[in-house]
Amino acid sequence: DVKVTQSSRYLVKRTGEKVFLECVQDMDHENMFWYRQDPGLGLRLIYFSYDVKMKEKGDIPEGYSVSREKKERFSLILESASTNQTSMYLCASSFAKQPGSEAFFGQGTRLTVV
Amino acid sequence: DQQVKQNSPSLSVQEGRISILNCDYTNSMFDYFLWYKKYPAEGPTFLISISSIKDKNEDGRFTVFLNKSAKHLSLHIVPSQPGDSAVYFCAASDFGNEKLTFGTGTRLTIIP
């Protein structure tokens, strides 16, 4: 069974803290993504990686960075957490060069910044 | 600029009837479209997809229709069941870009 696993289901962090969200996939997918989901805004892409050490900005990269040192792992970093980063964060992965390839999602991390 | 739009935030349908969820897009480069279903506190799961060379794709109770000239797609669920109650997202991509662009979602409630 395919799996995308996010390290935490729920996190509460303080304003200004550095926050790491981890994601691991076991499907040997080349592509990995970080989205955030907010009411009325749907899923918005933060960052995308198509290979180890490669990354591309998505639609809302400000305040975030990412790291992909191994193919199976993609980390999202909030350099200095702020209250407007309170959200549901979703990691996904997919095969590369397969048009229309479905993305598989993790269970999500509900982050609250206080 | 929202390139994929779902104009109905919510929809209620009687069990056994047809549910129709709509999605519009503005980017004419999109050539693959997908529907995802999401339950609370879970990640989205893939439901059905369609490429721009087709105008219909069916999988059991789920059918997706694509109208390229109108830049519109719809998801039909028939018959609707209580387990179909969830948020549905449409998503789109183009051949040269492997990112999925998602709509804002429609919350479907099936009334027993």
Side-chain angles (χ1 to χ4, degrees):
Chain A
D1 201 16
V2 297
K3 236 185 175 150
V4 179
T5 303
Q6 295 181 228
S7 53
S8 305
R9 292 296 298 266
Y10 301 96
L11 273 179
V12 180
K13 295 292 181 181
R14 295 197 180 276
T15 302
E17 273 193 79
K18 191 167 187 176
V19 181
F20 293 86
L21 303 183
E22 307 285 346
C23 176
V24 177
Q25 51 96 2
D26 64 1
M27 295 165 282
D28 203 34
H29 285 163
E30 295 84 4
N31 298 332
M32 294 190 76
F33 309 84
W34 276 106
Y35 289 89
R36 64 178 278 179
Q37 183 197 357
D38 300 289
L41 297 175
L43 275 68
R44 293 179 293 166
L45 182 65
I46 304 171
Y47 265 99
F48 159 48
S49 169
Y50 52 90
D51 202 350
V52 174
K53 296 191 187 295
M54 306 304 287
K55 63 185 179 185
E56 272 191 30
K57 291 180 180 179
D59 300 316
I60 51 164
E62 297 79 18
Y64 302 95
S65 62
V66 290
S67 170
R68 191 157 180 211
E69 297 296 320
K70 294 185 177 181
K71 189 177 185 181
E72 67 272 16
R73 188 178 296 269
F74 192 35
S75 303
L76 179 70
I77 303 151
L78 285 66
E79 298 291 343
S80 175
S82 64
T83 54
N84 64 11
Q85 293 178 310
T86 292
S87 186
M88 168 71 87
Y89 289 87
L90 293 159
C91 174
S93 68
S94 69
F95 286 114
K97 307 300 183 214
Q98 290 192 16
S101 174
E102 64 175 283
F104 293 86
F105 282 83
Q107 77 278 26
T109 298
R110 169 73 63 185
L111 173 67
T112 302
V113 182
V114 297
Chain B
D1 179 33
Q2 193 78 30
Q3 296 187 71
V4 178
K5 300 176 188 179
Q6 293 176 257
N7 291 318
S8 298
S10 63
L11 176 68
S12 294
V13 174
Q14 207 76 33
E15 182 179 357
R17 307 293 292 269
I18 183 170
S19 296
I20 301 175
L21 295 95
N22 294 304
C23 180
D24 297 295
Y25 61 96
T26 57
N27 187 341
S28 57
M29 298 298 292
F30 287 147
D31 51 13
Y32 280 93
F33 304 89
L34 304 88
W35 284 94
Y36 281 80
K37 176 180 180 179
K38 186 181 185 299
Y39 293 119
E42 292 184 16
T45 53
F46 170 75
L47 207 51
I48 192 169
S49 64
I50 188 167
S51 95
S52 58
I53 62 172
K54 293 185 171 184
D55 54 19
K56 178 182 173 181
N57 189 25
E58 234 173 313
D59 184 2
R61 297 186 297 114
F62 302 92
T63 304
V64 56
F65 295 92
L66 176 62
N67 182 335
K68 286 191 294 292
S69 60
K71 294 193 180 67
H72 176 84
L73 64 154
S74 61
L75 174 69
H76 292 211
I77 306 172
V78 56
S80 300
Q81 298 174 353
D84 296 330
S85 294
V87 177
Y88 289 79
F89 292 98
C90 67
S93 70
D94 63 73
F95 188 84
N97 186 342
E98 294 176 66
K99 298 180 283 190
L100 287 175
T101 300
F102 283 84
T104 50
T106 297
R107 181 178 301 279
L108 176 65
T109 302
I110 305 303
I111 305 163

